[in-house]
Each structure stands twice: as structure tokens, then as C-alpha cells.
Amino acid sequence: TDMPRPTRLLLLSLSAATAAPLPEPQEPRVWTVFCAECTNNFDYKSIGVYWSHRLSGMPGGVTRLLACDEEQLKRYKGLNLGNTFVHRNYGRIQHKRRVPEGETHPPTGSRAQDSSPSYNKPGSIMEWVMHSEEAKSTDYVLYIDADMLLRKPLDPIAMGVKKGVVVSEHVGYLDTGIRNGLPAQFLPSVEAVQYAGADVNNYSPPGPDGKRHAAGGWYMFFHIDDIRTIAPRWLH
């Protein structure tokens, strides 16, 4: 009772702060995306992705990244199949290869320009992270192909996805290309080439920081900050 008033108020405040419940940990905000084109073949596959995403209990939403130019859109009747983000069709663009700095010709065996539907894979995710509202409120992005089905929910944190670490599946036949010098045709420095193939013969399970090789593919689970950085470089 003889305690000075300021001290008594401070102790009461500390007691109240100690008793306050800790905030509940937030669930990771996950979004699934897959790339497709405006054709009957991709419509058939897209229905399967939408269906399996709902059935699996996968958290978050799902978006079809639809490569479809203006002429195709005039004839296309499948926009209402499910949630869709439309972007230009990179497979119909002639892509010119940049001559490396200090060189006068493109790398040996390469074409000066080409076109391929495969450009839609990096192009679609680049357009989505740059321009979609969904990407603004997402922490983790699961990127799958249109011919993949989800069987159960995937937890990015439990799988080891974090900033700087992308989780994917080891694609064994890509090891052959790494051993035969394929990274040297695309990566800008000796250090990058060495890093890409550093763990190609390491068959032990990956640690918390993953492995240093590029033989991964099919599905990819990104932290949103990583895919924002990777996507433009992946395409260009």
C-alpha cells in the first residue's frame, strides 16, 4: 500500500502484458497456378486440374495461366472453365537471341531466332506475378503443368520452401545434360556453371538449404519473392 503510484502502475502493466495470449501463427498463403493454351486439348487437361485441386483439399486458390492472343480469343469458348488469367501467347512470338557481350555471333548451334510453345511456361508466370491481384496477397506459389493432378494438400513450409530455396522434383535425365556441359550454354559465368552442377553426383537427401543443381522440374514450389526475381530472367 505504501508503494509509489508510478511503480504500482508499471507492475500492473507488465502483469497484463504477460497474461495476454500470444497471437495464433498465420497459415501460409498459398496459390496454385498452371499454364495452358486456348485449345481443346488444354481445356480437357485444365478441367482435371480444377477438379483435383478442389478434391485434394489444397489450400488457397488455383489459376489457369492462359496463353491466348487476340485472334484466338475471338474464337475461344472455354474462358468460363475456371479461374483464369489471360496473357499473350509467347509461343506465337519470334524470339530473337541476344548475342553475348563481347561476342559477334550467337552461341554455336543456336538459332538467331525461334518460336516455341515452351516460352509460355516462363512467360505466363512472369505475367501473373507482375500483373495479377492474386500475386499481391500470396506467400507461396505452386507451379504445375496442365497434365498434373493433385492428390493431397501440400504444405510449403513442411516441404522446406523458403526464400532462396525452391522445392521441385529431381528429373534424372536432366543430369546427363548437366554433366555434358549444358549449363555453360545458358549461364553467364564460370561460377554459375559450377554452382549449377555442384551436386549433380550427390545422391544424399537435400538439407535445409536444398541442393546446388538444376536437374529439377515438372512441379516447382516458390516463395513469391523468389519467383518475382526469377520469372523475367527465366524468359529472357
Side-chain angles (χ1 to χ4, degrees):
T1 58
D2 58 351
M3 183 182 294
R5 181 175 178 80
T7 305
R8 185 165 61 248
L9 291 175
L10 175 61
L11 290 177
L12 288 173
S13 298
L14 289 174
S15 176
T18 304
L22 295 173
E24 291 290 329
Q26 292 186 342
E27 291 291 325
R29 299 177 299 175
V30 181
W31 206 271
T32 302
V33 297
F34 66 99
C35 54
E37 295 184 46
C38 46
T39 66
N40 290 337
N41 178 42
F42 272 104
D43 285 356
Y44 169 77
K45 295 174 180 176
S46 298
I47 292 171
V49 175
Y50 289 130
W51 173 81
S52 71
H53 183 274
R54 180 179 179 181
L55 214 62
S56 69
M58 183 70 188
V62 58
T63 299
R64 173 178 56 160
L65 310 181
L66 188 66
C68 204
D69 61 30
E70 292 184 4
E71 287 302 315
Q72 291 176 297
L73 278 174
K74 292 177 182 178
R75 304 185 302 271
Y76 184 57
K77 299 180 180 180
L79 280 177
N80 62 344
L81 291 178
N83 188 36
T84 298
F85 175 87
V86 180
H87 63 88
R88 58 180 170 170
N89 192 336
Y90 284 89
R92 293 189 164 206
I93 300 173
Q94 282 291 328
H95 299 268
K96 294 184 178 180
R97 183 180 294 276
R98 297 173 182 173
V99 177
E101 186 176 352
E103 303 288 336
T104 56
H105 300 285
T108 302
S110 68
R111 297 178 179 178
Q113 62 182 24
D114 69 347
S115 61
S116 170
S118 61
Y119 285 114
N120 281 316
K121 184 145 190 176
S124 62
I125 191 72
M126 181 187 72
E127 295 276 1
W128 184 78
V129 298
M130 290 174 60
H131 302 298
S132 77
E133 291 298 316
E134 298 157 350
K136 296 177 182 178
S137 57
T138 297
D139 300 317
Y140 300 94
V141 181
L142 175 63
Y143 194 14
I144 63 176
D145 290 336
D147 58 358
M148 295 179 178
L149 300 177
L150 296 167
R151 298 179 59 195
K152 61 181 181 179
L154 302 177
D155 183 343
I157 296 176
M159 294 174 70
V161 184
K162 60 182 180 180
K163 196 171 180 178
V165 177
V166 179
V167 171
S168 185
E169 184 172 350
H170 180 222
V171 183
Y173 62 77
L174 294 180
D175 289 341
T176 302
I178 293 175
R179 294 191 182 100
N180 290 337
L182 189 62
Q185 298 185 33
F186 298 94
L187 298 176
S189 66
V190 174
E191 292 78 10
V193 171
Q194 291 174 343
Y195 189 90
D199 290 329
V200 68
N201 295 315
N202 180 358
Y203 297 103
S204 61
D209 293 323
K211 287 189 174 183
R212 297 169 297 167
H213 65 64
W218 292 319
Y219 79 86
M220 286 161 281
F221 222 151
F222 296 95
H223 187 281
I224 187 66
D225 291 345
D226 286 338
I227 191 56
R228 287 188 192 281
T229 302
I230 292 169
R233 299 179 183 180
W234 188 3
L235 175 64
H236 297 297

